[in-house]
Amino acid sequence: MSFNSLGLSEALLKAVSKQGYTAPSPIQQKAIPLILEGKDVLASAQTGTGKTAGFTLPILQKLSQGQQLRKRPIRALVLTPTRELAAQVHNNVKAYSEFLDIRSAVIFGGVNQKPQVATIRNGVDILIATPGRLLDLQNQGVLSLAKIEILVLDEADRMLDMGFLKDIKKIINLIPTRRQNLLFSATFSKEIKNLANEFLHHPVLVEATPENSTVDAIEQKVYRVAKEKKTDLIIKLISDGNWKQVLVFTRTKHGANRLCKKMVSSGITASAIHGNKSQGARTKALAGFKNNSVRVLVATDIAARGLDIPLLPHVINFELPNISEDYVHRIGRTGRAGASGEAISLVSADETTYLRDIEKLMGLKIPVDILEGFEPDPNASTAPKKQGQGGGRNQQRAYKPKPQSSRRSDEAGNSGNNKNAGRNRNRNRNRNRR
């Protein structure tokens, strides 16, 4: 199948061709015609499946064919959980709308709002936003959502994980009831289905891959190791393998910083990306990683959400996530676009339960190895650390947000700026994860 068969305009086909794409991905084949028909869509699609173009292309076509209003009110709204994902979606919108008379903008927290305000006041057809900054600007009277025709919730599962349910509902109440709704999520949890039932109208279900599946091209491996030897082991693996581009996941912000310092002192260029980093520092770290001036990017789960790093060869779990689905998101950063990839996990005794839950979710046993000199501690407890000891959440989470809004913590960053952020269920339980 080619893009020509999906009903897209010549201007969009020209833009797609300029980006070097010749054939649509499965999610694009299924979603684009449905969105063009005006259907509400509930889509299961992980990052790296082409989902952004799956909703961006048909939205651009519908807006370009619709009546062009003089003051260009916001007609399409895309909500994302993090700054990085918002910026990535906006880059896609700009690339695909190159030959259309469509204006777009992106807004998120952590940066000066004045340039964002100026862009919006000049007129915007499609707005990509994180929930906090959107509500802040709306409350200031900077923007109006009264003319929204299409609403997209991108990576909705992560937005719920981050405590944005209350903000999402506020935003939905600010936009017209007659609209088209698109919800994209990597997993279909009970909470996602409940959200879909609340605001989607007779949605069509689209699944690009089986639920919670992983990319076949990814070679997964576990190294059993004593907790105190993890840092030496990861430095040995990267140095001996002469790996040039490695994405490493830690469970906490402080852990990311510590590991970064150890790597730099060992002669490995490394940068950390997490919620305590400024937007400028995060952008600089990601740019250095992409252009290979930085060999290792150490990230927390939420900070890494939505990162688009083509042909990434190595992902290392310095610590296993407490939520099995997060493991799927992590390793999905490699093995994209038909390329092979390697996902390595360093597992200490107290992470045994997490490993077992991950294997159960994926329905497979991950090969285990032990390197001489890095053997696991035979006397270490296999029980995960309790909450408050740097361990974490229970595997079976029940999503029930408390009244305190999380939006002013600026979507995966700057939680220290909000004195009340700790009252939020997710941030109180995991305030060091980012």
Side-chain angles (χ1 to χ4, degrees), residues 116-404:
Q116 299 175 358
V117 171
T119 300
I120 291 171
R121 285 179 171 161
N122 285 332
V124 170
D125 299 294
I126 178 169
L127 180 67
I128 302 95
T130 49
R133 179 54 61 92
L134 178 70
L135 285 173
D136 284 344
L137 296 187
Q138 195 277 333
N139 290 334
Q140 294 175 41
V142 171
L143 57 84
S144 170
L145 304 177
K147 299 293 184 181
I148 296 293
E149 301 169 18
I150 305 171
L151 171 65
V152 182
L153 297 187
D154 192 16
E155 300 204 358
D157 52 338
R158 180 57 60 179
M159 280 198 272
L160 295 192
D161 284 345
M162 293 172 63
F164 290 138
L165 179 60
K166 184 178 179 181
D167 287 353
I168 291 171
K169 289 185 175 182
K170 283 184 181 179
I171 293 167
I172 290 173
N173 288 332
L174 293 171
I175 62 181
T177 55
R178 291 178 60 86
R179 63 179 186 271
Q180 184 177 12
N181 303 291
L182 312 173
L183 189 154
F184 286 76
S185 176
T187 58
F188 281 165
S189 65
K190 179 181 178 182
E191 294 79 25
I192 287 295
K193 292 174 182 176
N194 288 340
L195 178 63
N197 289 335
E198 283 190 42
F199 86 99
L200 296 182
H201 182 67
H202 300 303
V204 180
L205 178 63
V206 173
E207 294 186 85
T209 55
E211 185 176 353
N212 295 331
S213 68
T214 55
V215 182
D216 292 336
I218 301 174
E219 180 182 349
Q220 300 177 62
K221 189 173 186 178
V222 163
Y223 283 102
R224 287 282 191 177
V225 59
K227 182 184 290 285
E228 64 273 11
K229 296 179 180 178
K230 279 190 175 186
T231 300
D232 290 338
L233 176 55
I234 195 172
I235 290 174
K236 175 180 173 59
L237 291 173
I238 293 172
S239 300
D240 290 359
N242 196 28
W243 296 342
K244 300 298 185 183
Q245 198 175 42
V246 188
L247 177 60
V248 178
F249 284 97
T250 61
R251 198 177 295 146
T252 68
K253 295 176 283 189
H254 302 304
N257 288 337
R258 285 195 302 269
L259 182 58
C260 237
K261 290 180 181 178
K262 290 282 189 180
M263 287 190 174
V264 171
S265 65
S266 298
I268 298 173
T269 53
S271 294
I273 179 170
H274 53 67
N276 279 0
K277 295 285 187 178
S278 69
Q279 185 60 36
R282 292 159 75 163
T283 301
K284 181 180 179 181
L286 182 58
F289 188 61
K290 286 186 174 181
N291 66 25
N292 292 314
S293 62
V294 173
R295 289 174 65 183
V296 179
L297 186 66
V298 186
T300 54
D301 285 294
I302 291 177
R305 186 71 168 186
L307 295 183
D308 184 20
I309 306 167
L311 305 179
L312 177 64
H314 305 284
V315 169
I316 298 179
N317 293 299
F318 185 76
E319 296 157 318
L320 284 182
N322 341 28
I323 300 299
S324 301
E325 288 87 349
D326 287 349
Y327 176 86
V328 178
H329 292 311
R330 288 181 178 188
I331 70 170
R333 303 293 162 188
T334 186
R336 294 186 181 186
S340 60
E342 183 177 32
I344 291 173
S345 299
L346 309 186
V347 181
S348 54
D350 63 341
E351 296 173 297
T352 300
T353 301
Y354 301 146
L355 177 60
R356 189 181 304 122
D357 289 337
I358 289 167
E359 291 178 329
K360 181 179 179 181
L361 175 72
M362 297 190 300
L364 57 82
K365 294 290 289 183
I366 304 175
V368 175
D369 197 1
I370 297 175
L371 289 186
E372 185 177 353
F374 298 92
E375 294 84 0
D377 183 353
N379 299 317
S381 171
T382 59
K385 285 187 177 181
K386 294 180 180 180
Q387 184 174 331
Q389 290 181 294
R393 318 180 249 182
N394 294 329
Q395 171 61 26
Q396 298 299 323
R397 62 175 181 256
Y399 182 80
K400 188 177 181 181
K402 293 182 179 180
Q404 172 65 35

Side-chain angles (χ1 to χ4, degrees), residues 38-78:
K39 304 281 189 182
D40 278 16
V41 171
L42 175 59
S44 172
Q46 297 176 15
T47 302
T49 58
K51 66 178 174 64
T52 303
F55 64 77
T56 297
L57 290 171
I59 288 175
L60 289 172
Q61 172 133 330
K62 295 188 73 173
L63 295 182
S64 64
Q65 292 176 342
Q67 182 181 1
Q68 196 66 268
L69 302 178
R70 184 171 60 89
K71 292 187 177 181
R72 289 188 185 263
I74 302 167
R75 296 161 61 201
L77 174 64
V78 181

